[in-house]
Amino acid sequence: MSFLRPHFPGERALITGIAIDATGSGLYVPFSLVFFHHVTGLSLPVIGLVLTITGLIAIGAVPVAGVAVDRFGARRVQLFLYVLRGASFACFPLAAHLPTFAVLALLTAIGTRAFPAVLQARIAELVEGTDRDRMQALQRSLGNAGLGAGTLIASILIAVGGDTGYVIAAFVNAGSFFLAALLALRTPPSPVVSAKARAENPGSYRLVGRDRPFLTLVFANFLVALGYTSLTVLLPIYSTDWLHMPEGLTGTAFLVNTVICATLGVPVGALVRTRFSTRSRAAAGGAAMFVVAFLGQAALGTFRPEHVSLALAGVIACVLVMTAGELVHSPASGALSQAAAPPEMRGRYMAAFQLSWTLAYALTPSLLTSLLTVDGRLPWLLLAAAALLGGVLMMRVERSLPDDVVRYPRPAPSKPVTAA
């Protein structure tokens, strides 16, 4: 299969590091509150408050990471964040006191929030053309597969080791970041930017703020990204409180989404590049599927089937449509942002784009749950309207961006290279 062959030096090291990083994250993400409770011994309310505050503070690290990428190169910043995250998790079992835990939680949150923008800049440094689209799909597939594998490993560790299993998971997660850093060292260095070039084009976020087409792209992605949070934030509560489904069945939808994204991400991404002429149209097509899925959930909430099997079938059907939209939208939108970013300011542009995801995940928990208390259909209607507007903006911004940015490049025939 051609999509498994390396297309650039260091590709295998890069994607293996991404998979290991995701697996390590899967060890604690699904159990974050309980995980830290067992590792540190602090109470759950205290841990929840600390994680919320540090997460909000860490949002400020995203634009700082963008400046660092433009100054030092994405590879150096990537290595720094891997080591920072690894060291933080290695020290968590020592955090028996609140101040120590707060510091470690803040460092971990900074690394977690800033890393996606740095990774996007790193991928853009290494690949061009359709390989960017391919890497976007591959990255998302590996992320879902790694998250699922990490969750399974953590479940086994906890089942076998009890409370000790959480501590082992913390050390294993720390090791995964250090191993990913070693693999990142095997990728080519970032392009060197001379002092003269930096002096001629120092760059600033004011220049990003003046790029209206790119800001439109960021806002459109923010609107669609609100819908990505529905699986973890909205659907579990909606299914149990509004549709009165058993709690044990709510995880089925998340499992379906994870498995499909992990197994079909790359093939669907390749199919999308043959069916859509531009990345913006593909992203808008994915947003349209979101609209259909969310309106379907609202309709299901109107009829509210009495039989659990019918309710579950309706929820799964909507999740399948949303998953298809995710597979179409995410790679196209990510590659579009990479292509639209000037190379000398790629770090700042990727940081600005990443903020659309960060803010969406920060705002939706309180927003969607508040609407749900009024009427179970309201949050789905809001998400559908946001996805519709996001898709329209994706189509409109196509006219303002260069043709080589929005159009899928024709894949040039090339021989596979030996991985570094």
Side-chain angles (χ1 to χ4, degrees), residues 64-74 77 117-118 121 125 346-348:
V64 175
V67 175
V69 167
D70 291 336
R71 177 66 177 83
F72 303 107
V77 184
V118 175
E125 283 182 351
R346 186 176 286 134
R348 289 173 172 86

Side-chain angles (χ1 to χ4, degrees), residues 43-363:
S43 66
L44 290 176
V46 170
I47 291 173
L49 180 62
V50 170
L51 292 180
T52 300
I53 294 174
T54 55
L56 292 174
I57 295 174
I59 294 177
V62 179
V64 175
V67 175
V69 167
D70 291 336
R71 177 66 177 83
F72 303 107
R75 182 171 179 262
R76 290 183 179 180
V77 184
Q78 180 189 26
L79 290 170
F80 171 77
L81 293 179
Y82 272 143
V83 173
L84 176 66
R85 296 161 78 191
S88 299
F89 269 94
C91 294
F92 267 122
L94 307 176
H97 302 289
L98 179 59
T100 307
F101 173 69
V103 171
L104 292 176
L106 179 60
L107 294 176
T108 302
I110 288 173
T112 302
R113 297 283 191 185
F115 187 78
V118 175
L119 179 60
Q120 292 301 308
R122 182 60 179 147
I123 292 174
E125 283 182 351
L126 293 173
V127 296
E128 295 180 349
T130 54
D131 277 338
R132 284 180 177 169
D133 302 274
R134 182 179 62 88
M135 283 300 299
Q136 288 291 327
L138 184 57
Q139 175 200 343
R140 193 156 194 88
S141 291
L142 290 172
N144 279 275
L147 189 65
T151 302
L152 177 61
I153 294 172
S155 300
I156 295 174
L157 289 175
I158 295 167
V160 174
D163 290 351
T164 307
Y166 288 99
V167 178
I168 296 173
F171 287 126
V172 173
N173 191 23
S176 72
F177 291 127
F178 292 134
L179 180 56
L182 292 175
L183 289 167
L185 283 171
R186 302 185 62 184
T187 60
S190 299
V192 177
V193 180
S194 66
K196 180 181 178 181
R198 286 197 298 267
E200 292 176 350
N201 189 3
S204 73
Y205 279 104
R206 286 182 296 179
L207 296 178
V208 181
R210 294 171 189 164
D211 191 339
R212 290 190 177 182
F214 188 80
L215 291 182
T216 302
L217 175 63
V218 171
F219 182 59
N221 191 73
F222 164 75
L223 292 172
V224 181
L226 293 172
Y228 278 78
T229 68
S230 62
L231 273 180
T232 54
V233 174
L234 176 59
L235 188 60
I237 305 175
Y238 168 78
S239 299
T240 54
D241 291 359
W242 189 259
L243 297 180
H244 305 296
M245 292 172 54
E247 292 185 2
L249 296 178
T250 58
T252 306
F254 182 77
L255 177 63
V256 168
N257 173 267
T258 301
V259 171
I260 293 177
C261 287
T263 56
L264 298 181
V266 175
V268 170
L271 180 64
V272 167
R273 294 193 293 273
T274 64
R275 293 293 184 267
F276 292 90
S277 58
T278 66
R279 293 170 173 136
S280 50
R281 293 175 189 176
M289 295 180 193
F290 272 34
V291 174
V292 174
F294 298 149
L295 290 179
Q297 293 283 15
L300 189 64
T302 299
F303 293 105
R304 301 171 82 172
E306 295 183 2
H307 295 287
V308 173
S309 57
L310 290 178
L312 178 62
V315 168
I316 295 297
C318 293
V319 169
L320 287 174
V321 177
M322 178 195 159
T323 303
E326 181 179 340
L327 294 177
V328 174
H329 169 267
S330 181
S333 180
L336 187 61
S337 68
Q338 290 177 336
E344 65 276 6
M345 291 187 61
R346 186 176 286 134
R348 289 173 172 86
Y349 270 72
M350 291 298 96
F353 188 77
Q354 179 58 32
L355 283 175
S356 66
W357 292 100
T358 303
L359 292 175
Y361 278 89
L363 293 175

